[in-house]
Amino acid sequence: MLNHTSSLIDTGMIKKIDEFYWLPNQQLTEPRCFENQVNRNIEWVAEEEIELAILLIVKKSFTISIDQLNSEVSRRLGFNSTTVVKRIILDSIKKSVEKGVLQKSDEDIISYLGNIVLAVYPINQLVFLASKPLWQWIMMSLKKRYLIIC
């Protein structure tokens, strides 16, 4: 079995990331829910899938506390919120913050930085759709007294 798997990797039929096997162009769109499976183990869930669940929940909430996010991700993936589950999800939250996908405030509030923001620029003069991270527009707007509409 191992030789066959190695040959599939060598030929590009599958790729291995950490301990998980993926199709070469596989894209996750929804995390799986493991609620009805027997002998579930969060360590059998790919980090990319946990990070996707985190991102989808934060996008929907816009801002959320780390504790609440941890509970929501556990629920979304179908796991009870045990110490091990919380630790793994917290590690994924930290990685998403380090990658710059999410932002963490001093009060442990997580927010999505986003890529698109609708702004009135300057107030009542021009409306446009900008492709910049949200925090850049907020900082620019605060300095120049623009109005941001989200």
Side-chain angles (χ1 to χ4, degrees), residues 9 61 90 113 146:
I9 292 171
S61 306
L90 187 58
L113 298 177
Y146 297 123

Side-chain angles (χ1 to χ4, degrees), residues 25-122:
N25 296 318
Q26 185 173 354
Q27 295 292 320
L28 291 175
T29 56
E30 279 291 318
R32 296 171 292 160
C33 182
F34 299 87
E35 192 170 45
N36 296 323
Q37 294 184 7
V38 180
N39 297 325
R40 298 170 290 144
N41 186 335
I42 193 154
E43 293 170 339
W44 299 340
V45 180
E47 186 176 308
E48 293 84 354
E49 201 164 357
I50 296 170
E51 288 177 1
L52 178 61
I54 291 166
L55 182 61
L56 292 174
I57 290 166
V58 174
K59 275 184 171 181
K60 189 175 181 179
S61 306
F62 191 67
T63 61
I64 189 170
S65 72
I66 288 179
D67 292 336
Q68 188 178 3
L69 178 58
N70 209 315
S71 297
E72 291 290 325
V73 172
S74 297
R75 191 175 307 119
R76 174 95 185 237
L77 296 174
F79 290 94
N80 291 327
S81 206
T82 64
T83 305
V84 172
V85 170
K86 286 181 180 179
R87 179 186 48 80
I88 288 173
I89 293 172
L90 187 58
D91 287 346
S92 291
I93 292 170
K94 287 179 182 176
K95 287 178 184 171
S96 292
V97 170
E98 289 169 2
K99 290 178 187 175
V101 175
L102 301 175
Q103 183 174 352
K104 178 183 166 289
S105 73
D106 293 338
E107 296 81 27
D108 285 343
I109 301 295
I110 300 294
S111 57
Y112 175 63
L113 298 177
N115 288 329
I116 305 290
V117 71
L118 181 64
V120 176
Y121 175 72

